């Protein structure tokens, strides 16, 4: 929209020929050696390699590898075929290769509150978030004027408790096949299990408390009533169990008796937008692995 | 015990002639003027004056005033009589005068864990906490050798679920009339409503989570299972409702997937001792006013 | 610009009849009583009263009082006259009354970086900052499109080392008499002592390090070279001595060896905008008193 | 000394058969594959593997590998010989193998301040620090009684500006060959380049400011005079350039105008002991690699 920002290397250039390999398998000796040898022999230079074992022994082994391979976009499919044939079976590896130069396609669902939505759009315009925002869907029209300057389509789909099925059907029409991630940026509506099953992309939500404290609604009012000295926010993947999905990131801010509920809402907004943007960044960089109801963030 | 610490002005000297006045009354105009004029006319110099109204209008007015009055220990009773006669009735004021030179008498109840207990004893030896520790009561003998070098009496009163009534009776014999505050420094035993009613001093407890998350036991294990990214601690006054008393102070520390439950216990211990020592300090400085289930910390 | 934000009480309504009195005088007994009695007799209800003595004895006494006085805008001048006649002389008080309902008029000076500027404009649109942004002056045209949606005049005055005198003259023409505060939001140009003397309003600057570390330019590069584990930002009043004015607020963020200089710039930007917005808010609420080269933030 | 602490697996058991390999070499493809294949073929299971390249291209490659090898203490020398013969030359690798079951031998140098010293001794008694404290050397006798209960030898070697050469000679007699690390726990004396050259072990110091702010002495007084809003502490390796060695860890605490210099000293002490203990832990776990004047902390 404005051509004159401080020059930033476009993501496609910065991440050219950078591949990521995420894998999971039963924990046993030799996986790191086998995978790193495979990549090296394929001509790749390993940039970083992180791993985690869920138990001291007999658990699950998780690994994220970032590598540089000249000509990745052409060579990728062959690399993946080779890996599937020669390495994966020997260690029972589930895996996923991604090309860092292909930003994730992200839809943001919003309502009336602007802070999380605008912060995501602003950070992405600065080149911080490694994503393409393909659309904003809101159940109220209020934020249209705010979104327009970012050059992102804004779609108003009224959604209430009453018309949920119909609203979700319209959303799915837009989303299915078009997005790699859906972000609920203070969307304020329940998402049904049917929607989750149908949308074919993970959802990240921002909850306005440091879960598991204050599960549910009206968290800031309840925080004030309980007299806590910290309020916080939690970014998590959405599952069928409301507010109980795997936590990606949390943070808190200090409050005291002088703060009203309105002050808590305002101070909490700063934590919400910071926490959500970190969670989205990490997801877009393929840093997060879900394991049971926990996340490993490499 | 060791005569060679860096010289510190003893509390009795530092706080000589320093008085504190805590008051509470219906919120209406004129209280600050009346109280400050009264103190000034009595020859006192107001050092600090903090106040809080619980509602914008029609709530409760709370105030903490610190003042310097030459000859306070002699003049105090007369000052209090005058205040009771001339000021308090006009505004329906409940109040309490304290002499800052008289440190609070504190008993610490402990079990096997050393971190909170030792940190309190060590900070107090440095002159940080404005209190006199009159005794440590423990339901296990393990920490006796740790406490002895601080010159504080260590009393072992075995306490379990089975002998609770008898143990509390022995504790009350020691405590009643002898202490201004009881600190539960990871004491790990339930305290009965009967004990609370009989002890005639407030109790401060340290809970090993950022309440209201993880009310109850095994907080670090449950934190690990829930996959939270922060663990914390909460210092609160003890009431009949377990883990639901007024919160004084809270803090958190960041964790990640690499931390085991044992790591959480270790990291949490640092937060527990820091949070508890701040709560005890503020209490001993008469900074805390309870209002409903909240605290105002001036 | 958009009519549909969550309803906020306009500042003029929220702060109706709220006055603030800031004063400074030699520290001696009776000031609090005299001032609070004066306000009470004038019909005011004191909402909060903070004070600070710069020395235990014989220093300067500083006080900020917030009060509610029905009909303040009409009654203010008379109140001030009375205070000048009856109270100020007896205690050698320098003072300033302000009407909380009159937001400070603020000009923001910017260059090419958007983060501090946009955060101030966004927070102010939400009603967080108690100010009116009367203009943005930038020495580059780049941010014009960003500023326009906020309904704030954007003035492009090219400024470089070479044309400084001329640029400052044009800025002064716009600023003098029209603003209560000038905010340098990553303005990146030296401000001359002549400008400071002529502008007749205080200036707040944001420095991209935790001063006094890394005084001067290229702070993030130097932070990387020194291998620090924290980077930060400092908001301060501008004086003739570059980077040495009274500090208002500081904060830091943790970094490690994996971060490049570019990452430091990005992470630092979040701290810069947070620190600057807090400093501006406190200034606009008349919370800051300068004393020597320090600030007291009530 | 006290037999009844909560059971902890002794380090020798916990870390049995755990080896660590730290290496450094020019950055080129294949190192990870070669090293991990070597370890796997030797029968080791890689537990964690961290690496860092100092430049995007053509820099230095640093790696820390933790592995489990049954019978390590017997098999270690052969493993090392094989690595030297087969792997190191091919990649110009400098390396160091360590046995995690052999705790580092640490001497602590102290003066009169107790907080850093006691915190290290206390944490180590809890089993947190993976070290053996072989002696405390102090230039004042004051802390002898504090150290004795920990069962650690306390040696009093008076040291002043005047007798520095003699004092250092006596220190070296005790230290040389007996320690793997020397910790300056608020030692308050200059260490000469001659001492550094002769002691044959790295030194870690704790500086009472967030370097590079307030290099030198009287940091808290200077912090108060400058009016900063944060004070901090820095743990760093000691080099010939005072206060300029590689930084290992830093942290800060918030202060305001109400704090005296004495308060800053007290608040800073908490940061000092926390920062120093983290630095010592990381060193003892072979997590720190020095590169130029920076540290990589894996």
């Amino acid at each position: 929209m404005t051509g004159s920002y401080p020059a930033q290397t476009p993501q496609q250039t910065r991440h050219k020929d950078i591949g990521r390999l995420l894998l999971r398998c039963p924990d046993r000796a030799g996986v790191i050696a086998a995978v790193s040898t495979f990549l090296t022999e394929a001509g790749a230079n390993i940039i970083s390699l992180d791993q985690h074992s869920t138990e001291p022994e007999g658990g699950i082994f998780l690994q994220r590898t970032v590598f540089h391979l000249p000509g990745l976009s052409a060579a990728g499919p062959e690399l993946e075929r080779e890996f599937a044939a020669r390495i994966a079976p020997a260690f029972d590896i589930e895996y996923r290769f991604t090309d860092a130069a292909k930003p994730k396609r992200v839809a943001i669902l919003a309502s009336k509150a602007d802070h999380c939505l605008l912060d995501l759009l602003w950070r992405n315009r600065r080149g911080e978030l490694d994503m393409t925002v393909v659309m904003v869907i809101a159940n109220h029209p209020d934020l249209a004027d705010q979104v327009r300057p970012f050059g992102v389509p804004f779609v108003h789909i009224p959604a209430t408790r009453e018309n949920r099925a119909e609203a979700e059907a319209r959303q799915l029409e837009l989303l299915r096949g078009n997005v790699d991630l859906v972000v609920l940026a203070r969307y304020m509506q329940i998402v049904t299990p049917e929607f989750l099953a149908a949308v074919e992309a993970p959802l990240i939500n921002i909850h306005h408390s440091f879960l598991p404290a204050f599960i549910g609604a009206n968290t800031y009012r309840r925080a004030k009533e309980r007299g806590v000295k910290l309020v916080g926010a939690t970014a998590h993947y959405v599952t069928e169990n409301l507010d109980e999905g795997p936590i990606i990131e949390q943070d808190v801010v200090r409050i005291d008796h002088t703060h009203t509920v309105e002050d808590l809402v305002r101070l909490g907004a700063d934590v919400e937008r910071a926490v959500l943007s970190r969670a989205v960044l990490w997801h877009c960089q393929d840093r997060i692995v879900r394991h049971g109801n926990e996340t490993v963030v490499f």
Side-chain angles (χ1 to χ4, degrees), chain A residues 206 231-233 250-253 267-276:
Chain A
I206 180 72
V231 294
Q250 301 187 288
D251 215 336
V252 292
V253 65
L267 289 166
D270 269 348
V271 185
E272 293 168 19
R273 63 179 187 162
V275 163
L276 180 60

Side-chain angles (χ1 to χ4, degrees), chain A residues 8-275:
Chain A
Q8 294 225 16
T9 317
Q11 175 167 329
Q12 287 76 348
T13 309
R14 268 190 298 152
H15 291 334
K16 190 168 179 308
D17 293 337
I18 303 292
R20 301 180 189 131
L21 167 59
L22 279 97
L23 61 82
R24 162 201 314 259
C25 64
D27 191 4
R28 49 189 254 237
V31 184
I32 295 177
V35 172
S36 58
T37 300
F38 168 81
L39 287 170
T40 301
E41 289 176 359
N45 186 18
I46 296 174
I47 294 172
S48 77
L49 187 155
D50 293 288
Q51 64 293 123
H52 179 63
S53 298
T54 61
E55 307 289 336
E57 275 180 62
I60 301 295
F61 177 81
L62 308 166
Q63 183 171 295
R64 175 183 185 261
T65 310
V66 181
F67 58 90
H68 180 257
L69 178 61
L72 174 68
S73 58
E78 172 64 14
L79 185 78
E80 209 163 330
R81 255 194 314 277
E82 286 284 305
F83 188 83
R86 289 173 37 208
I87 308 296
F91 296 91
D92 272 330
I93 296 176
E94 293 172 53
Y95 64 92
R96 187 158 50 92
F97 279 92
T98 64
D99 183 339
K102 290 191 189 143
K104 301 276 183 282
R105 300 164 303 160
V106 177
I108 304 177
L109 268 59
S111 183
K112 288 182 172 182
D114 66 349
H115 56 287
C116 287
L117 173 62
L118 291 186
D119 209 58
L120 287 171
L121 293 174
W122 172 75
R123 286 180 192 278
N124 198 44
R125 187 173 63 189
R126 286 166 68 90
E128 286 188 15
L129 292 184
D130 275 4
M131 67 181 182
T132 300
V133 182
V134 293
M135 70 188 85
V136 171
I137 301 178
N139 65 340
H140 289 277
D142 309 45
L143 297 173
D145 285 352
Q146 307 297 321
V147 172
R148 199 161 299 130
F150 291 93
V152 171
F154 179 95
V155 185
H156 174 214
I157 300 182
T160 60
R161 192 176 297 219
E162 287 66 37
N163 78 341
R164 186 158 295 148
E166 181 199 347
E168 288 194 342
R170 288 190 54 199
Q171 292 168 347
L172 285 171
E173 247 173 75
L174 293 170
L175 297 171
R176 207 143 40 170
N178 292 324
V179 298
D180 303 305
L181 174 70
V182 176
V183 178
L184 307 183
R186 305 289 284 127
Y187 175 56
M188 311 298 283
Q189 294 287 316
I190 299 283
V191 172
T192 65
E194 292 71 34
F195 182 90
L196 285 179
V199 72
E200 291 167 1
L203 278 77
I204 292 179
N205 182 47
I206 180 72
H207 187 87
H208 47 322
S209 90
F210 49 104
L211 291 174
F214 305 120
I215 286 178
N218 291 321
T219 64
Y220 292 117
R221 178 165 303 282
R222 288 154 65 206
K224 179 70 183 167
E225 285 165 7
R226 180 60 188 92
V228 294
K229 302 298 184 184
L230 302 169
V231 294
T234 305
H236 63 94
Y237 286 113
V238 179
T239 62
E240 295 201 8
N241 300 314
L242 194 65
D243 297 346
E244 306 214 335
I247 293 172
I248 303 169
E249 171 64 337
Q250 301 187 288
D251 215 336
V252 292
V253 65
R254 188 162 285 276
I255 58 166
D256 65 36
H257 61 274
T258 63
H259 292 105
T260 62
V261 174
E262 288 68 37
D263 292 326
L264 268 51
V265 170
R266 178 173 62 78
L267 289 166
D270 269 348
V271 185
E272 293 168 19
R273 63 179 187 162
V275 163

